[in-house]
Amino acid sequence: MIILLVGTTGVHHTLVAAHLYLKKNISAGEFAHLDGYCDLSLEGSGFPIAIGCDGYGNNVYTLGLGRLVEIGNRAINGFSQIMGFDSSQLLIRELRIPGDLDIWAASKANWMPMGMGNAINRLVADRVISREFKRIKSEALRLTEQVALLQGVSDNMTGLGFKAG
Amino acid sequence: MAKTRKLTGRFQSSWLEPAVVNEAEFMKIIYHCFGGSHSSVTAAAIHLGFLPTNRIPSFHELMALPHFDKTPGDVYGVIRFMGRTGEGDEVYVLGKKNLGNRMDRILIGLAELLGVKDRVVVVNTMRYVNLFMMVGGFLSRRLGLVSLGRPILVWGTRLAFPHLVRAVEEVKNEIRRGEEE
């Protein structure tokens, strides 16, 4: 299964949530050191960002959709439907937190010279994510439960002769 | 790309829901623009053969197209089925608001992840949208001034039509090249 965490950006709160989901013991003060955190070159590509693989062998990705998360998410869901994929093959989870638009807006300051853009990007992201860390952690926990449930269903279906995604 | 092309008349271009066939064999072509109701719909219609390509279509021909200047605002992000080509490929339209070229990368990136990149063509038709289409579309769809906006919009669409025909031809050629490979 592919797990895709979507949000306004793919290298801030979604990336932290993805790492939390992957059982990495991260405290509120440590998320800023995660691989790819605030890396706007990754974000700028527009492609899903590979984060890692969970205990079930599912690949975890994040994807930034910008300001129009709902529209992008709807398009992604529609796309997976027309391509014939279901939630046992592709799990899309939208992660919204208060202030995620601020993070997205700050990420647009990247053009500023002498590292100022990057500093603004980090400053805003750090503040918002620190404030909302509990919420992000609980979202990651909810995702863990959802995946466990889906995995259980898939395993049972495999036992009954169905092929798991 | 290997594809089976054993088709009967029931797979000819249709505005109805997709027929039940082996989906894995056919391409999905998604035309997208700001609102998903003008340039993308026109391009999709050209692709499906709903509009003539040897002349500029009339006001009534354009207005008769499904979804053309009829979509409500809440369908942004919804991929809508337009029809199936004679070869069995499915053509869709999508309104993506200001997501711009990012939508191409999102869908192609996702297709790559899912291992279906060779079954998808995503086409941004925004580059063919002219000022008349923008103003007419804004008046008609956003402000609800249909009687004022629609004639401007259709005029703009007719101006853009040859460009859209060329764009669709390019898409068809790309699909043909993909099949040959």
Side-chain angles (χ1 to χ4, degrees):
Chain A
M1 180 165 66
I2 289 168
I3 299 167
L4 187 64
L5 282 168
V6 300
T8 50
T9 70
V11 292
H12 299 105
H13 55 297
T14 47
L15 182 130
V16 174
H19 279 284
L20 284 166
Y21 165 74
L22 291 170
K23 308 267 185 266
K24 290 185 183 161
N25 231 352
I26 309 157
S27 69
E30 289 170 339
F31 63 81
H33 306 295
L34 291 171
D35 267 355
Y37 179 72
C38 284
D39 184 344
L40 296 176
S41 60
L42 283 176
E43 178 69 18
S45 74
F47 289 104
I49 301 160
I51 304 297
C53 194
D54 69 8
Y56 303 105
N58 304 319
N59 289 314
V60 182
Y61 294 84
T62 62
L63 179 62
L65 299 174
R67 186 168 57 91
L68 304 165
V69 183
E70 289 84 8
I71 291 171
N73 192 21
R74 219 180 286 161
I76 290 173
N77 276 292
F79 181 73
S80 70
Q81 263 179 24
I82 66 166
M83 296 311 296
F85 291 94
D86 59 27
S87 59
S88 67
Q89 294 158 300
L90 174 67
L91 178 62
I92 303 162
R93 184 99 183 185
E94 184 180 323
L95 184 63
R96 300 303 309 264
I97 57 166
D100 57 359
L101 284 173
D102 299 339
I103 294 176
W104 169 78
S107 74
K108 296 288 163 199
N110 196 35
W111 59 270
M112 287 184 174
M114 294 158 58
M116 273 169 60
N118 198 32
I120 292 171
N121 168 35
R122 273 194 173 263
L123 185 74
V124 174
D126 288 356
R127 279 183 73 92
V128 172
I129 294 171
S130 299
R131 194 184 65 206
E132 302 297 335
F133 193 75
K134 270 188 185 168
R135 189 190 293 262
I136 296 169
K137 207 168 181 175
S138 74
E139 284 289 336
L141 189 65
R142 227 176 292 170
L143 176 65
T144 308
E145 289 166 1
Q146 190 181 359
V147 173
L149 191 71
L150 280 168
Q151 216 65 47
V153 171
S154 291
D155 290 348
N156 289 342
M157 286 176 81
T158 311
L160 292 168
F162 291 94
K163 197 179 174 195
Chain B
M1 182 169 50
K3 288 208 281 185
T4 308
R5 295 288 196 187
K6 286 179 185 169
L7 294 163
T8 60
R10 71 197 172 98
F11 296 129
Q12 294 301 308
S13 299
S14 160
W15 294 359
L16 302 172
E17 285 302 300
V20 179
V21 289
N22 186 359
E23 297 298 327
E25 294 171 359
F26 302 110
M27 298 287 289
K28 318 276 181 188
I29 300 131
I30 303 169
Y31 289 99
H32 61 89
C33 64
F34 184 91
S37 56
H38 303 126
S39 63
S40 59
V41 168
T42 309
I46 294 166
H47 196 118
L48 289 162
F50 293 166
L51 290 172
T53 53
N54 56 348
R55 62 174 172 83
I56 306 291
S58 67
F59 178 92
H60 297 289
E61 281 174 316
L62 285 170
M63 289 314 302
L65 296 175
H67 308 305
F68 187 86
D69 200 37
K70 296 177 190 79
T71 47
D74 57 355
V75 297
Y76 290 119
V78 178
I79 300 178
R80 284 165 294 141
F81 181 68
M82 270 290 283
R84 195 184 279 277
T85 64
E87 289 79 30
D89 298 333
E90 289 171 11
V91 181
Y92 295 86
V93 292
L94 166 66
K96 43 94 192 271
K97 252 186 159 176
N98 286 324
L99 271 167
N101 281 330
R102 199 176 184 93
M103 187 53 85
D104 283 345
R105 297 197 291 267
I106 289 169
L107 296 184
I108 293 298
L110 196 57
E112 216 166 302
L113 275 192
L114 297 168
V116 292
K117 198 184 168 193
D118 57 348
R119 283 174 47 207
V120 182
V121 178
V122 185
V123 187
N124 185 0
T125 57
M126 277 308 288
R127 75 189 72 168
Y128 310 105
V129 174
N130 54 42
L131 190 64
F132 299 107
M133 290 177 82
M134 281 183 204
V135 173
F138 178 78
L139 291 171
S140 174
R141 295 295 88 209
R142 185 70 68 88
L143 301 184
L145 301 170
V146 178
S147 53
L148 179 64
R150 196 164 277 176
I152 301 171
L153 165 76
V154 170
W155 192 39
T157 307
R158 296 181 76 206
L159 282 178
F161 191 78
H163 304 290
L164 288 166
V165 169
R166 273 197 292 278
V168 172
E169 275 310 312
E170 274 175 37
V171 171
K172 286 184 172 177
N173 288 338
E174 192 187 317
I175 293 170
R176 265 183 232 122
R177 275 198 297 273
E179 282 171 355
E180 282 163 12
E181 281 168 22

